[in-house]
Amino acid sequence: MVKRYRWAAGLAAVCGLLMAAPQANAEVEPGGWTPQSPGYKVQEKGCGHADGMTFSLTCADTSGEQRAERRYDTYTGGTHQFEGYFRISSMGGSRISLKQTFRDTSGSQGPYYMLAVENGGRLYTVAGGTTVSDAGTVGATVRVNTVNQVGKTHRTYINGSLANTVDSPSGSYYDKFGAYRTSSGNGPITVTWSNVKFWSK
């Protein structure tokens, strides 16, 4: 009987670990995806600091460019998926962009889609202020997937559930993530990203 209880307890512990850990190949909209490994550049401005996959804004400035991000290679056409997990370990500020899809049109680059967080955990789109989720609380691990079907739609999933859909014009795009002060925001914040993956089809 004791062995049976130990076996059951061990199984429960393993199942708990599996449920807590990010799953491999967890891409949304499964079917026909090819893994990609785009290159990237680290960008730091103002009080922004990147240390591996941890990004911090160390000041509370409400002006100037404050950011620490990874900027990935540009793509054109097709359907492209980003996946990553973020965890905010501290946040004294608010309205910080965490994930961006940039659009490049005739050499002019702009933050076509920005997913930001307010103090308290509300995730929202910077353009329009649409609430996407309330999952972005300090200490929570949040899975983000964006699917950009160029020329059709850009879809955002939070923890595997479709949370936002907007039009996607034709053009060239690239992904960014980290911590970026929006025009109405300020730090400080420290956020760590993990298990970042890319696919296309």
Side-chain angles (χ1 to χ4, degrees), residues 131-149:
T131 298
V132 174
S133 172
D134 291 317
T137 54
V138 173
T141 298
V142 181
R143 173 185 163 197
V144 177
N145 293 74
T146 58
V147 179
N148 189 16
Q149 192 172 3

Side-chain angles (χ1 to χ4, degrees), residues 1-200:
M1 185 66 69
V2 173
K3 289 184 177 180
R4 181 181 299 173
Y5 284 138
R6 287 178 177 170
W7 177 85
L11 180 61
V14 170
C15 289
L17 288 172
L18 289 174
M19 291 179 67
Q23 299 298 301
N25 299 321
E27 74 273 11
V28 295
E29 304 181 13
W33 293 103
T34 299
Q36 301 294 322
S37 299
Y40 67 87
K41 295 180 180 179
V42 175
Q43 300 179 331
E44 298 174 314
K45 293 284 187 179
C47 66
H49 177 67
D51 181 9
M53 294 284 276
T54 297
F55 305 87
S56 300
L57 302 182
T58 60
C59 63
D61 293 1
T62 57
S63 63
E65 191 174 1
Q66 317 298 337
R67 65 186 171 107
E69 299 175 298
R70 280 192 180 188
R71 189 268 204 217
Y72 282 79
D73 292 343
T74 300
Y75 60 83
T76 302
T79 303
H80 299 260
Q81 182 174 171
F82 163 92
E83 176 180 279
Y85 295 75
F86 74 82
R87 180 181 179 275
I88 299 170
S89 56
S90 65
M91 186 174 185
S94 189
R95 303 184 71 80
I96 304 297
S97 176
L98 302 175
K99 166 66 175 66
Q100 302 178 45
T101 305
F102 260 65
R103 182 168 178 250
D104 188 346
T105 305
S106 299
S108 176
Q109 300 177 358
Y112 151 73
Y113 181 84
M114 299 174 71
L115 177 69
V117 63
E118 287 183 337
N119 195 306
R122 184 177 83 102
L123 298 172
Y124 69 97
T125 61
V126 173
T130 301
T131 298
V132 174
S133 172
D134 291 317
T137 54
V138 173
T141 298
V142 181
R143 173 185 163 197
V144 177
N145 293 74
T146 58
V147 179
N148 189 16
Q149 192 172 3
V150 178
K152 294 187 178 180
T153 59
H154 179 284
R155 300 178 289 279
T156 302
Y157 292 78
I158 302 296
N159 292 329
S161 297
L162 180 62
N164 182 257
T165 302
V166 295
D167 291 339
S168 175
S170 298
S172 298
Y173 292 83
Y174 58 87
D175 291 297
K176 298 178 77 174
F177 65 82
Y180 172 79
R181 185 191 74 82
T182 67
S183 60
S184 60
N186 63 278
I189 186 175
T190 298
V191 56
T192 300
W193 282 85
S194 61
N195 295 285
V196 171
K197 301 181 182 71
F198 298 87
W199 298 270
S200 68

